[in-house]
Amino acid sequence: MSKPWIFISPSSRGIGHALAAHLLRTTSLPILATARSNLACVKESLVSRSAASSHNKSSLSSEADASRLHVTYLDVTDESSIEAASEKAAELFPPSTHHLHLAFALPGILHPEKQPRRIDYDDALETFRVNTLGPLMLMKWFGDLLPRKGTDLSHVRELAQGQEADGNEQAEGQTDRFRVPAHATWLTNSARVGSTADNRLGGWYNYRASKAGVNSITKSFDLHLRTRSAANAMAMAYHPGTVKTGFSEEFWGNVAEGKLFSPEFAVRKMLEVVASRRVDDGGRCWDWKGEEVPP
């Protein structure tokens, strides 16, 4: 039986940081998280955030969390660092005994512009390097660590059954263990504005195009997985809504009431969607409500 592990890139702040801490608290799976600097500080922060969110976290369980959390260097604009991180992953989780079960490719940058004359070439280049080529290179170097069609995933099913039993024994309000899906999932962070069909306002040329690119490469990667992994893996794009992080701070005042989400809420909705998607749902972009975003 192949043992599952989780990959989150990046995880130093924003949604990635909240997601890594949440999965550290709500699963027993080992996690490989990435950052561009201060790796030890990022790890300490994740363990502390996980413990602070738990009602009954002991020092021993925090130590156990720290032992299964690995933080490694990765810069999505530097392919050599992505390759090195994938080699580190293969050392930690040998493909002969392990498989990548949950992967979250979350890099993002925004240079907004409303008119074509406001487009800056260097900003546009950076946008595509981070938002589109970054996830594409993550697929290139980490995609082979996903399960193949012949990989035995029965360990995941047993894990899910054990989590269900644990949840039944927990007190009301404590049943927040994440139900790991039976198939592996590769999630790439996208955005509703990446939809060409749903583009009603224009503007944001670089960002819209880069996220449309994300949706395109996700579709191609899912088709690849259908051949390589069959029912054992799928790839999806995801729109988390507007989340209250430094990424969107400039636009908080323009968001309708009730539509500016905390990172914790955004993570819970993301995982609800991941847990509820089937393999046949791959290749598409889904939003935080579980509704499909049109191409």
Side-chain angles (χ1 to χ4, degrees):
M1 294 186 292
S2 181
K3 298 179 181 179
W5 59 278
I6 298 171
F7 175 62
I8 303 168
S9 180
S11 62
S12 54
R13 58 184 179 177
I15 294 179
H17 192 274
L19 176 64
H22 185 91
L23 288 173
L24 192 61
R25 178 174 60 85
T26 61
T27 77
S28 59
L29 302 185
I31 298 172
L32 178 63
T34 78
R36 290 187 297 171
S37 61
N38 302 319
L39 305 186
C41 293
V42 171
K43 179 172 182 175
E44 181 180 357
S45 175
L46 289 171
V47 173
S48 297
R49 184 170 185 169
S50 174
S53 301
S54 177
H55 298 285
N56 55 1
K57 205 79 165 180
S58 67
S59 59
L60 288 177
S61 59
S62 292
E63 290 177 8
D65 286 350
S67 69
R68 63 187 174 89
L69 172 64
H70 309 271
V71 180
T72 193
Y73 173 75
L74 190 151
D75 180 345
V76 295
T77 65
D78 177 4
E79 185 179 359
S80 64
S81 77
I82 303 174
E83 179 182 8
S86 70
E87 292 172 350
K88 176 67 173 179
E91 292 176 6
L92 291 169
F93 314 113
S96 60
T97 55
H98 295 70
H99 71 276
L100 174 55
H101 200 75
L102 295 172
F104 299 90
L106 309 173
I109 193 170
L110 170 62
H111 293 292
E113 70 288 292
K114 294 183 179 181
Q115 300 175 5
R117 289 297 295 266
R118 296 291 181 89
I119 297 171
D120 179 85
Y121 185 90
D122 290 335
D123 286 348
L125 186 60
E126 181 184 34
T127 298
F128 279 93
R129 290 186 69 198
V130 174
N131 292 0
T132 313
L133 291 178
L136 184 60
M137 292 299 101
L138 290 173
M139 292 174 183
K140 173 181 178 179
W141 289 107
F142 282 85
D144 283 348
L145 301 176
L146 291 163
R148 294 183 176 274
K149 63 178 65 176
T151 303
D152 183 357
L153 301 187
S154 55
H155 181 80
V156 179
R157 291 191 290 272
E158 291 181 1
L159 180 66
Q161 292 171 356
Q163 288 180 337
E164 182 176 9
D166 290 343
N168 291 335
E169 295 175 359
Q170 289 176 339
E172 185 176 355
Q174 299 295 314
T175 57
D176 62 346
R177 301 295 286 176
F178 175 56
R179 191 64 115 26
V180 178
H183 58 269
T185 299
W186 180 286
L187 181 149
T188 302
N189 208 38
S190 186
R192 181 172 296 279
V193 297
S195 168
T196 301
D198 194 50
N199 184 353
R200 302 171 187 177
L201 298 176
W204 289 24
Y205 290 85
N206 299 327
Y207 189 72
R208 285 185 184 275
S210 70
K211 291 302 185 178
V214 163
N215 297 341
S216 178
I217 63 174
T218 299
K219 175 66 174 181
S220 293
F221 189 48
D222 184 71
L223 290 171
H224 167 72
L225 291 177
R226 292 188 187 191
T227 300
R228 179 188 182 276
S229 305
N232 278 348
M234 60 90 91
M236 59 178 281
Y238 182 75
H239 167 60
T242 305
V243 185
K244 197 172 184 180
T245 65
F247 179 87
S248 63
E249 185 172 4
E250 181 180 348
F251 310 101
W252 291 353
N254 300 326
V255 180
E257 184 177 356
K259 293 298 179 68
L260 180 60
F261 305 142
S262 70
E264 291 74 21
F265 176 86
V267 164
R268 289 196 300 272
K269 300 306 292 185
M270 176 188 290
L271 294 178
E272 285 177 10
V273 174
V274 167
S276 62
R277 296 308 90 174
R278 301 170 300 177
V279 174
D280 290 344
D281 292 325
R284 291 181 274 176
C285 182
W286 301 92
D287 72 5
W288 61 275
K289 294 178 290 185
E291 298 176 355
E292 184 177 0
V293 177

